[in-house]
């Protein structure tokens, strides 16, 4: 770098960020600008597992915007990964003309998705805690782990609303309700980004917009959502995270809305996201989005047209590789786009790099990195979150908690002793199967062996091999957790059947094991992942939400032994379990609990932790009910005029917000601080909650509202607040919510965002169906709202 550039204003950290951006932008060539709005896979600048200056010159001699998912596509350990990224940054700062550092991005839906990262529960489990403050604590820990290896941008959280359990990515979401998803998302973003991005990691809200409402529950399929519903339901979590947590990045959906893929939609990415919602961060493409405009959606005839349409729509960054955006030079030369359009996106990317402090602190301490990952405190937090995510669906006769003095316990099922099946699709061990091959169903990391990586697209560069025993942090299965929690019990084990397939030859042994035990714990579910054989996860969509026939038979035959049975549902998927709900005395929903899943489940099963998880989705009775959700319109949720289906009730098997405890709670009368409230005002809603049982426990008190008469149809109820309250036996405490009238805002008949006058029903309860107390208030006058 010459002397003039070394002392240029953009190098001066004391100057305002916007001034530094403008100065740097004014010095850039077209090639250098385009390089900043694209990414590069690390394999393109690696020989084996090491950095290559020769390949780096070819890959990013003009600089680069992002280094794409280095923790996942290399599977390097923390020290080696930090060393690699330090070398890449050194090359960019010292060997390129302008010395612009790169942003390395990764994934972290349920923990840092890299070797050695703590495997917290998958997102649907995080939402089941109904505890945003705890999620913020988690992402503060994940932030430390990401920063330790040099990753400063994460492609999380998923803020999609999901109402159709057939969609494989349900488990990556925070459920069906926009308010709950928004509050959990806010907690996630706050913990990840912090108060200042110089000490934080950029969080990415995805997938904007309506991705989780795909046709037929199929991945990447069109989303048939009208504009009002898009704004009121599907955009609401994004709006909340932007408004209240300063969300710094957005990723587009792969889907199309009304004939326009989101990756090419000026209406939604520019007019709505930047205009109506006021978003001022970077829009990063979902992987290969720009390419799909030509090859998948067929709205562009070539690379140049696809690149121009994406940039015009507002896609600032093409990732994972800078391929289509290279054609922007042709689009500029032909007059298809203006240089101002390119400069706009380059400026946003540069601004974020300055805000992150990368020009001043581009390197990390590689030797220190391993000690900053998966610390004892991180594991304790993972165990606590996993325990709080557990939802006790049924507990007939008080079967749970089990006494630790239980003489013999049978732990049965394909999920009972599997490390692999504790994973969600965006947990590291499951996610790297795409690169390194499928891990055995049993999840025995010791037996996984060495798998070669997929072929790299870097000419002459061979990918490394990775021993998949190194992919897992120490994981605790249910069998191990039960054995450790009840050391005086005889813990017997039988697998019974596989997670997939129709082999039932092992069920006889499972039945024999159950008969010999005082109680049976049967662990069944799905296999989450991204490769063949997965039954949930990205692009693993379903037409049937039932358990496999073999697993269903396993449960039925164990129950038939007469041994008291607990069914534990593990590993993703919004399963329909009507037979189990009718015949099994105790049912636990554990989702994808991660590395401490076995300990957490044992904590709940034996009563060391009183279950407090609540469903963030409505569980259907059958696949034929989907989409199903509690906050439907007055004409929804039933068949007029009979109400139910011919062959089934129209209500869910288990309602949104449902979850049992080992104690009981009584609710007093709802109190309001005012009966009449201005449209731009707020009211305090209070209720006394008493622990009427003999155990300490936490209740999740839920506040719902219903706009009685409005200019457009309103949900029969909608979540407007929730709070956890911990109570000793006999203890009472007031739980108070502040209800802002802006939470009642709707898009009226003319698509204006307004708060209308009129009566509002206010309800508090233990679930969307278990309402304990209600009252009404009156909104007086009306007001225009702006998100």
């Amino acid at each position: 770098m010459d002397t003039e550039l070394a002392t240029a204003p953009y190098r001066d950290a004391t100057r305002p960020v916007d001034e530094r951006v403008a100065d740097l932008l004014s010095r850039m060539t077209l090639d250098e600008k385009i390089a900043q709005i694209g990414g590069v896979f690390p394999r393109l600048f690696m020989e084996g597992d090491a950095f290559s200056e020769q390949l780096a010159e070819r890959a990013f001699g003009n600089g680069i915007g992002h280094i794409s998912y280095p923790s996942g596509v290399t599977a390097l350990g923390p020290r080696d990964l930090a060393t690699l990224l330090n070398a890449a940054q050194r090359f960019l700062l010292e060997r390129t003309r302008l010395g612009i550092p790169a942003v390395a991005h990764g994934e972290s839906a349920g923990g840092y998705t890299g070797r050695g990262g703590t495997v917290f529960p998958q997102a649907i489990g995080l939402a089941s805690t109904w505890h945003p403050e705890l999620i913020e604590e988690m992402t503060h820990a994940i932030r430390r782990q990401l920063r330790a290896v040099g990753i400063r941008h994460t492609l999380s959280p998923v803020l999609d609303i999901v109402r159709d359990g057939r969609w494989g990515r349900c488990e990556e979401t925070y459920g069906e309700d926009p308010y709950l998803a928004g509050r959990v998302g806010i907690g996630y973003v706050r913990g990840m980004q912090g108060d200042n991005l110089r000490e934080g990691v950029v969080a990415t809200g995805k997938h904007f917009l309506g991705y989780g409402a795909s046709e037929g529950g199929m991945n990447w399929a069109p989303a048939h959502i009208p504009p009002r519903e898009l704004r009121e339901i599907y955009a609401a979590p994004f709006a909340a995270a932007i408004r209240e947590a300063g969300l710094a990045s957005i990723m587009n959906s792969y889907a199309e809305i009304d004939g326009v893929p989101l990756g090419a939609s000026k209406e939604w990415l520019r007019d709505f996201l930047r205009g109506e919602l006021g978003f001022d961060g970077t829009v990063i493409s979902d992987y290969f989005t720009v390419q799909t405009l030509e090859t998948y959606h067929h709205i562009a005839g070539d690379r140049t047209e696809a690149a121009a349409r994406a940039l015009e729509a507002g896609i600032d960054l093409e990732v994972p590789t800078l391929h289509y955006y290279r054609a922007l030079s042709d689009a500029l030369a032909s007059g298809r786009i203006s240089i101002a359009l390119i400069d706009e996106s380059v400026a946003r990317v540069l601004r974020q790099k300055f805000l992150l402090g990368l020009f001043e602190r581009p390197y990390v301490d590689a030797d220190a990195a391993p000690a900053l990952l998966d610390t004892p405190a991180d594991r304790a937090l993972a165990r606590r979150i996993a325990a709080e995510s557990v939802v006790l669906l049924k507990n007939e006769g008080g079967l749970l908690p089990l006494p630790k003095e239980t003489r013999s316990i049978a732990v049965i099922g394909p999920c009972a002793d599997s490390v692999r099946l504790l994973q969600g699709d965006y947990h590291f061990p499951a996610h790297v199967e795409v690169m390194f091959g499928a891990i055995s169903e049993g999840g025995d990391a010791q037996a996984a062996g060495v798998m070669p990586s997929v072929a790299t697209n870097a000419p002459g560069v061979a990918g490394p091999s990775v021993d998949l025993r190194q992919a897992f942090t120490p994981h605790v299965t249910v069998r191990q957790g039960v054995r450790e929690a009840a050391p005086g019990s005889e813990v017997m084990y039988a697998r019974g059947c596989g997670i997939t397939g129709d082999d039932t030859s092992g069920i006889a042994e499972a039945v024999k094991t159950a008969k010999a035990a005082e109680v049976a714990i049967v662990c069944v579910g799905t296999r989450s992942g991204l490769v063949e054989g997965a039954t949930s996860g990205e692009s693993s969509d379903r037409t049937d939400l039932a358990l496999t026939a073999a697993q269903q038979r396993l449960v039925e035959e164990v129950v038939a032994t007469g041994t008291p049975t607990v069914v534990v549902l593990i590993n993703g998927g919004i399963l329909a379990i009507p037979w189990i709900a009718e015949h099994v005395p105790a049912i636990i929903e554990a989702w994808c609990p991660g590395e401490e899943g076995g300990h957490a489940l044992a904590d709940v099963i034996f009563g060391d932790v009183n279950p407090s998880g609540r469903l963030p989705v409505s569980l259907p009775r059958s696949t034929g009910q989907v989409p199903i959700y509690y906050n439907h319109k007055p004409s929804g949720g039933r068949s007029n005029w009979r109400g139910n289906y011919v062959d089934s009730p129209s209500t869910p098997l288990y309602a949104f917000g449902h979850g049992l405890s080992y104690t009981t709670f009584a609710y007093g009368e709802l109190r309001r601080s005012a009966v009449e409230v201005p449209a731009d005002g707020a009211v305090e809603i209070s209720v006394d909650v008493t622990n009427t049982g003999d155990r300490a426990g936490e209740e999740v008190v839920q506040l719902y509202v219903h706009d009685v008469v409005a200019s457009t149809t309103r949900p029969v109820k909608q979540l407007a607040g929730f709070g956890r309250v911990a109570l000793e036996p006999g203890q009472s405490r007031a739980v108070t919510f502040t209800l802002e009238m802006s939470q009642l805002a709707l898009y009226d008949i003319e698509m204006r965002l307004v708060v209308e006058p009129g009566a509002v029903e206010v309800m508090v309860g233990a679930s969307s169906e278990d309402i304990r107390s209600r009252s009404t208030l009156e909104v007086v006058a009306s007001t225009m709202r702006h998100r």
Side-chain angles (χ1 to χ4, degrees), residues 525-602:
T526 67
R527 178 191 173 109
S528 176
L530 289 86
V531 296
E532 289 297 321
T535 58
S536 71
E538 185 173 1
S539 205
S540 294
D541 311 314
R542 303 163 64 100
T543 63
D544 188 354
L545 296 180
L547 286 170
T548 62
Q551 291 190 77
Q552 180 70 25
R553 179 179 166 188
L554 172 66
V555 175
E556 290 175 1
E557 295 203 17
V558 169
V559 170
T561 66
T563 300
T565 301
V566 179
V567 166
V568 179
L569 301 167
I570 289 181
N571 205 282
I574 299 176
L575 295 172
I577 52 167
W579 189 94
I580 292 174
E582 182 179 354
H583 294 92
V584 174
I587 309 169
I588 288 173
E589 178 66 78
W591 308 111
C592 308
E595 65 182 32
E596 284 289 323
H599 281 150
L601 278 162

Side-chain angles (χ1 to χ4, degrees), residues 125-407:
L126 302 180
S128 297
T129 68
W130 290 56
H131 199 165
E133 297 81 7
L134 188 60
I135 306 312
E136 182 174 348
E137 186 178 345
M138 177 196 76
T139 49
H140 193 277
I142 298 172
R143 184 216 309 183
R144 171 186 13 95
Q145 297 185 21
L146 290 165
R147 286 176 57 95
V149 298
I151 293 173
R152 298 298 301 278
H153 186 134
T154 183
L155 306 184
S156 302
V158 174
L159 297 176
D160 295 309
I161 296 300
V162 62
R163 293 172 164 182
D164 188 336
R166 296 172 298 175
W167 188 49
R169 302 191 78 170
C170 289
E171 65 185 58
E172 297 175 45
T173 78
Y174 299 139
E176 71 183 48
D177 181 74
Y179 182 82
L180 177 62
R183 301 322 298 176
V184 176
I186 288 167
Y188 187 103
V189 174
R190 284 176 174 166
M192 186 62 68
Q193 295 187 170
D195 297 328
N196 186 330
L197 279 182
R198 294 181 73 86
E199 305 302 326
V201 170
V202 169
T204 303
K206 63 186 191 184
H207 308 83
F208 197 84
L209 185 62
Y211 184 46
S214 59
E215 181 179 274
M218 294 182 289
N219 201 39
W220 289 30
H224 304 295
I225 314 171
R228 183 173 285 104
E229 189 173 344
L230 272 167
R231 286 171 167 83
E232 291 183 348
I233 302 296
Y234 293 93
F238 294 92
I242 292 167
R243 182 176 59 247
E244 297 187 47
L247 179 66
S249 181
I250 291 283
M251 176 179 282
N252 67 282
S253 162
Y254 285 120
E256 65 172 81
I257 293 174
D258 196 23
V260 182
L262 266 298
S265 177
K266 288 186 283 187
E267 176 185 5
W268 292 108
L269 294 184
R270 285 194 183 271
D271 299 345
F272 180 67
L273 177 61
R274 295 202 183 276
E276 292 187 40
L277 299 189
F279 177 70
D280 65 356
T282 54
V283 175
I284 185 169
S285 74
D286 206 339
Y287 275 24
F288 306 106
T289 285
V290 186
Q291 176 180 322
T292 68
L293 303 183
E294 178 191 9
T295 62
Y296 187 76
H297 293 293
H298 305 293
I299 64 166
D302 56 28
R303 290 173 55 211
T304 303
E305 180 65 15
R309 291 200 65 171
L311 192 69
E312 286 174 329
I315 301 290
D316 294 317
L317 267 159
E318 181 194 10
V319 295
T321 60
L322 179 59
H323 181 51
Y324 273 61
Y325 269 14
R326 290 195 189 279
L328 289 173
S329 57
D330 295 333
L332 183 65
S334 69
R336 175 67 176 77
I337 62 170
S338 69
I339 190 63
L341 196 63
I342 294 175
D343 286 352
E344 182 183 3
S345 288
V346 175
R348 290 195 191 104
V349 173
L350 294 176
R351 184 174 188 272
Q352 210 153 75
K353 291 184 177 185
F354 284 121
L355 290 173
L356 287 165
L358 286 172
F359 283 81
E360 292 73 49
R361 292 188 295 174
Y363 309 117
V364 298
D365 185 343
D367 290 334
L372 296 173
L373 273 64
D374 203 33
T375 66
D378 293 337
R379 296 194 66 90
L381 181 60
R383 182 170 180 168
R384 180 186 172 191
I385 295 172
E388 286 198 18
S389 75
V390 169
V391 183
L392 181 61
L393 297 177
K394 182 182 179 183
N395 193 23
E396 190 176 86
L399 176 59
L400 294 176
L402 297 180
K404 291 185 178 179
E405 298 74 27
T406 303
R407 178 180 55 81

